[in-house]
Amino acid sequence: MDISGKKIDEVCPVCNTSDHWSFQYHSEFNQFHLPIYRCEQCGLQTQFPKPNTNEMYDENYYSGKSDYSYIDERKLEKYHNYVWDARIRNIQKFVPGGNFLDVGSSFGGFLSRARKFGFQPYGVEVSEYSSNHSRSNGIETFTGNYLDNPFPTHFFDVITLIEVIEHMENPREVFRKFSDQMKSGGMLLLQTANFEGKQALEEGKKYHYYLPGHIYYYSLSNLKKILKEFGFSRTKDYLGVDFPLSAKLLKSRGNFQTLWDYRRWLTIISYHMKSKILPGSTSSMVVYAFKD
Ligand SMILES: [Zn+2]
């Protein structure tokens, strides 16, 4: 039953029909009260009405001054490198080199590491402020929305979106463009929350992933469905993350001030082990999808 009083007037980007939406609830994480709808056919969730994303990504977002900020990676680059390097080594098991696009490339830290490992880096970033930084570091970066990027078709060997796909509007056009710009055999990496994961199901409306900038909330099964439709029929799925626990622990030290902070390792270790022992018990998810 639709208790929100609003009728959603959009097509589910996974199912390509508009018949199966139902109102779930207003989210309760951080008092954001986002109106959440769910497609009963595929499980995709969305905010409706849609937020105004143009107002969201200003300098305050990227420098950590707004309520729902991106963390400024530049201060902690040394620590981020542990995770970035481990991730790139894992990517190279599948695609050893070539043109590497990071969508939502921010200040270009991840791409700098990809370049160090032999990839040719390219970025797409909505923020002028952070893409200027990336360009000054010699990384070709398009400022704007992914759909407007001018890079050629069949050009990329790797495209990565780390906690970015949930921010993107018009998923069908976005997945079509991934497909067009990817070389055959190229690899798309998507990291987002898995709404079929136990954590998301148990926490329901209080789940911390309900944030103003997150427009679509995917799951492993509906993500694989839309990937397949757009020419990525083979995937390697990580219910958890695609890098080892050691990298995560080394990265976390960037936020530690005193020895006492090392107690946080217990939480990180238990979360990581849970995802290894019982895949699907957390809601972390990384999908590597290969272009047919
Ligand atoms: Zn659907």
Side-chain angles (χ1 to χ4, degrees), residues 25-26 40 55 61-62 78 91 94-95 102 114 135 140 153 166 173 176 190 197-199 227 233 249 280 284 288:
Y25 37 62
H26 285 92
E40 299 301 341
E55 291 169 3
Y61 178 84
Y62 286 91
K78 181 177 129 198
I91 291 171
F94 304 91
V95 183
D102 188 29
R135 271 191 293 273
E140 194 173 333
T153 54
E166 65 277 4
E173 284 91 285
R176 187 172 291 118
L190 299 168
K198 205 170 157 210
Q199 187 187 9
L227 282 165
S233 45
L249 292 176
S284 301
Y288 288 12

Side-chain angles (χ1 to χ4, degrees), residues 142-188:
F142 170 72
T143 305
N145 286 314
Y146 171 71
L147 287 175
D148 300 323
N149 89 66
F151 299 125
T153 54
H154 310 298
F155 184 66
F156 293 112
D157 297 275
V158 177
I159 301 179
T160 57
L161 291 91
I162 319 284
E163 313 266 352
V164 169
I165 193 70
E166 65 277 4
H167 291 261
M168 293 173 93
E169 296 173 88
N170 306 309
R172 294 187 68 78
E173 284 91 285
V174 166
F175 279 88
R176 187 172 291 118
K177 188 150 179 156
F178 291 151
S179 188
D180 288 346
Q181 294 197 308
M182 190 70 87
K183 288 182 194 167
S184 178
M187 194 191 99
L188 175 65

Side-chain angles (χ1 to χ4, degrees), residues 11-17 20-21 38-44 222 225:
V11 165
C12 169
V14 175
C15 302
N16 212 13
T17 73
H20 305 281
W21 294 113
R38 181 174 187 275
C39 172
E40 299 301 341
Q41 187 150 287
C42 71
L44 185 78
N222 59 42
K225 199 171 166 199

Side-chain angles (χ1 to χ4, degrees), residues 88-106:
I88 294 161
R89 275 188 217 105
N90 199 57
I91 291 171
Q92 285 187 313
K93 291 180 192 166
F94 304 91
V95 183
N99 294 332
F100 191 119
L101 173 67
D102 188 29
V103 179
S105 54
S106 187

